[in-house]
Amino acid sequence: RGQKFACKNVMFVDQVVNGRIQVNASGIQRLEGNMVVFADGSKAKCDCLVTCTGYRDVFPFLKGTVGANATPLAVPNGNVRRLYKHIFHPEVGKTMAWIGFVRPTTGGIPPCAEMAARYFALLLAGERKLPSNLAHIVQKDFELDTRYYRLSPDVKTLVGYKDWMDSMAELVGCEVQLWRYVLCPRLFVRLCIGSLLPSQYRLRGPGRLPELAKATILAVPVAATPWQTVDEVRRAWLRHLGLRQMWPGDE
């Protein structure tokens, strides 16, 4: 089992189906002027070649050490999975945060960064505390994410959007409590099986904007297949009832 990160924009699929985009997965063998020669021997004229080599998470402007143990002021091993929630260095604590290094497999980076910033602000204000067993939690999450996303070994920032956001919401104190909305069926249904809107984390807790959050959630229609609906309802209730893994691989 495992997950491989892919392009989230599916608009290109129709273009592949109707033939406007030609796919050749054999690999590029060489370039000849403005021609691309593929490994299967075919050629195609090319105006622009996008290599998609990606980038490395490096911070050359961070130098020196911190603390009595002279901890290097850097991301451990250059891997943000070695940070608590991809945000806090276990040996530096709450005084420094890496925000923006959470890349959900579905959803967007900005809402994750916003949630991280909310937690960071509460820590600095003294309204929250980091867990005492920080190193243990980081190691456990590191092993889980490394195993789960082993098919995309170069993308260290990957997380599951809903699980990560829910875990952060618990830390902030803005988690969605479904029982509060049972008497509001339109809102209740959307929270159970609707789009994973970050507005749901503004219904309650620090920085709450309940009326605006409700209006935003209700403005988006529910769109899911029957099987997706059933599976999401099951997962939603397991999360909100605090139940854990039901069978191996059901992380």
Side-chain angles (χ1 to χ4, degrees):
R1 291 177 63 89
Q3 294 289 316
K4 182 174 179 61
F5 186 67
C7 177
K8 300 177 189 177
N9 188 335
V10 297
M11 298 298 291
F12 71 91
V13 175
D14 286 341
Q15 306 303 320
V16 172
V17 172
N18 64 31
R20 294 188 64 186
I21 295 178
Q22 299 294 320
V23 178
N24 189 321
S26 67
I28 295 176
Q29 186 179 75
R30 65 183 184 278
L31 302 178
E32 294 181 351
N34 63 349
M35 300 294 292
V36 174
V37 181
F38 293 97
D40 62 2
S42 64
K43 298 181 179 181
K45 185 177 180 180
C46 179
D47 297 320
C48 179
L49 186 65
V50 182
T51 57
C52 299
T53 55
Y55 55 89
R56 294 188 179 93
D57 297 323
V58 294
F59 309 90
F61 51 86
L62 295 178
K63 299 178 181 179
T65 60
V66 294
N69 296 328
T71 301
L73 191 59
V75 175
N77 301 323
N79 188 339
V80 293
R81 289 179 184 159
R82 294 290 186 182
L83 304 175
Y84 177 60
K85 298 297 182 183
H86 293 211
I87 308 169
F88 299 101
H89 194 303
E91 296 181 41
V92 175
K94 70 177 184 180
T95 57
M96 186 173 186
W98 277 263
I99 295 178
F101 294 92
V102 175
R103 184 178 185 179
T105 53
T106 59
I109 295 175
C112 295
E114 178 192 21
M115 190 67 84
R118 291 173 70 182
Y119 184 47
F120 185 38
L122 290 169
L123 287 169
L124 295 181
E127 298 181 24
R128 297 290 186 276
K129 293 183 179 180
L130 288 172
S132 57
N133 58 336
L134 207 58
H136 174 74
I137 296 174
V138 170
Q139 181 61 29
K140 183 178 178 180
D141 288 347
F142 170 81
E143 292 173 358
L144 176 62
D145 288 346
T146 299
R147 182 175 77 252
Y148 194 68
Y149 298 110
R150 66 183 180 275
L151 299 180
S152 297
D154 296 328
V155 189
K156 310 297 186 185
T157 51
L158 290 177
V159 300
Y161 176 78
K162 181 64 173 174
D163 292 334
W164 189 90
M165 289 288 278
D166 276 356
S167 69
M168 288 298 298
E170 291 181 10
L171 296 172
V172 171
C174 62
E175 65 270 33
V176 178
Q177 297 176 336
L178 289 176
W179 62 268
R180 292 176 177 271
Y181 311 105
V182 171
L183 299 180
C184 304
R186 291 180 63 234
L187 180 60
F188 180 77
V189 168
R190 282 164 173 76
L191 290 174
C192 284
I193 61 175
S195 299
L196 301 177
L197 299 176
S199 303
Q200 65 182 303
Y201 301 109
R202 290 289 183 175
L203 288 168
R204 56 182 296 274
R208 59 187 176 276
L209 297 167
E211 295 307 316
L212 181 59
K214 289 179 183 177
T216 303
I217 296 168
L218 292 174
V220 179
V222 176
T225 67
W227 281 114
Q228 288 174 326
T229 299
V230 171
D231 188 55
E232 182 54 32
V233 168
R234 177 185 69 84
R235 291 177 179 274
W237 277 106
L238 288 178
R239 285 192 297 267
H240 292 293
L241 292 175
L243 299 178
R244 299 302 179 189
Q245 181 177 338
M246 300 298 287
W247 53 78
D250 188 38
E251 289 109 348

